[in-house]
Amino acid sequence: MFWILAISIALVAALLIASPLLRRGEEDVAARPNDAEVYRDQLSEIESDEKSGLIDGESAGQARAEIARRLIAASQDAPRKSSLLGGRQAVMLAVFLCLVVPAGAMALYSHAGRPDEPDYPLRARFESPQPDSNILIRRVELRLEEHPEDGRGWEILAPVYLKRGQIAESVNAWRNAIKYLGADARRYGGLVETLVVSSKGRVDAEARDAFTKILELVPGDPRARFYLALAEAQDGKADAAIAALEALKKDSDPAAPWIEVTDAQIARIRAEKEQAAKAPGNPDEDDVAAAADMSDEDRTQMIRTMVESLDARLADDPKNFEGWKRLMRSYVMLQDPVKATEALKRGLAAFPADSDNGKALISDAKELGISLEGVTE
């Protein structure tokens, strides 16, 4: 049935395309070759009527002039033909379209296609003993729609979603796996891996809690120690972060695969620390010594003065990313949420919310408890 239907459709389509080629041009009926003979006969009749007195000379002259005009026009008009192809070439092209093209298409399909393949509807694919990966995933998803408490199903889907780039779905799957199957270092490891990927390498509050749980379950876990050290660096605690990474190196085999990346992070954090020390608004040793002898009120005023200095300098140098992070944290420490939110807005003006630095500022603001209402609109 398939072949009969396919051949019929191909032939009908070819005939529709080729039929104009088989039509020869037709002469224009308005200018047939025998028109001139008719006009000549009319001239003879006028001459005969004039001699017999049926019409006068003036009328005969007018009639001769009109017929003569028509005779000249008929003599000058060449027979008009259709612009469509005709003749032997057109017939050959029509035969090619009607026979060769359909036959060639069928020959190509019989060689490269699978004409012997049976129908394979969606239901049959679901019931196949060897379905493809998409069907398997959909099977699990359908089951979880009916039985969302199936933790094993969520645990199966979570890494699959991550490989397919479905980050949000992977995070949700890991959360459900932990919820229904219980705390497990491997499950928490899968969750934090996905969380870190989703935040482009940053360790947010949920990831930090998960790494802490991993250390409770597996004391000394190198991955958890590494990322918790990075979290310290994100909080501006460079010395604590470096100390934690140095301790990780000390407790690890020198040939461990994470040694190289640990060294790279230590170098990066030290470089950022040096850069931050040169940034505007940072107190030097004299400032710290002077603050030790101050009253609480004077000390707060001194800090506020330095923060305001940093704020003013950032107005002139808005591309100082670390400065915006420090300014937000300073205003939170001074219990000034309005200015902390304003600092976030100004920081996002320099680093758009969809950029890596902008996302980092928003993440820090969330951890500091800064309101995001109306900030990212």
Side-chain angles (χ1 to χ4, degrees), residues 189-205:
L191 174 61
V192 294
E193 178 186 2
T194 310
L195 288 171
V196 171
V197 170
S198 67
S199 60
K200 300 186 182 300
R202 292 188 59 80
V203 183
D204 59 18

Side-chain angles (χ1 to χ4, degrees), residues 33 78 162 200 221 232 317 319 342:
L162 180 60
K200 300 186 182 300
D221 182 86
E232 295 284 357
D317 181 22
K319 292 301 181 181
E342 183 183 348

Side-chain angles (χ1 to χ4, degrees), residues 90-138:
V91 173
M92 292 176 64
L93 180 57
V95 171
F96 177 81
L97 291 173
C98 292
L99 298 179
V100 178
V101 172
M106 287 186 288
L108 179 62
Y109 177 74
S110 64
H111 174 71
R114 293 291 301 275
D116 56 334
E117 186 73 18
D119 291 342
Y120 202 26
L122 183 61
R123 180 178 295 276
R125 278 179 267 169
F126 266 91
E127 297 173 354
S128 171
Q130 295 180 330
D132 61 30
S133 59
N134 292 322
I135 296 299
L136 288 172
I137 293 170
R138 188 55 185 156

Side-chain angles (χ1 to χ4, degrees), residues 200 318-319 321 324 343-363 375-377:
K200 300 186 182 300
K319 292 301 181 181
F321 173 66
W324 290 115
L344 173 60
K345 288 181 179 180
R346 291 165 56 200
L348 292 177
F351 301 98
D354 58 351
S355 67
D356 289 344
N357 285 338
K359 291 177 181 178
L361 288 175
I362 293 173
S363 177
V375 172
T376 57
E377 294 180 355

Side-chain angles (χ1 to χ4, degrees), residues 269-290:
I269 295 170
R270 281 177 175 162
E272 290 181 355
K273 179 184 176 182
E274 293 175 0
Q275 181 181 5
K278 299 175 183 178
N282 278 348
D284 55 22
E285 294 180 0
D286 293 336
D287 294 329
V288 174

Side-chain angles (χ1 to χ4, degrees), residues 158-159 161-163 166-176 178 186-214 223 227-228 234 359 363 366-367:
Y161 281 146
L162 180 60
K163 289 181 180 179
Q166 297 174 256
I167 308 301
E169 290 83 351
S170 180
V171 170
N172 182 64
W174 280 121
R175 287 170 179 164
N176 285 326
I178 293 170
R186 186 179 63 81
R187 296 184 193 111
Y188 274 117
L191 174 61
V192 294
E193 178 186 2
T194 310
L195 288 171
V196 171
V197 170
S198 67
S199 60
K200 300 186 182 300
R202 292 188 59 80
V203 183
D204 59 18
E206 184 179 5
R208 189 174 309 191
D209 291 341
F211 280 124
T212 302
K213 293 282 181 58
I214 291 174
R223 179 173 59 173
Y227 279 104
L228 286 174
Q234 291 172 193
K359 291 177 181 178
S363 177
K366 289 179 180 178
E367 294 181 8

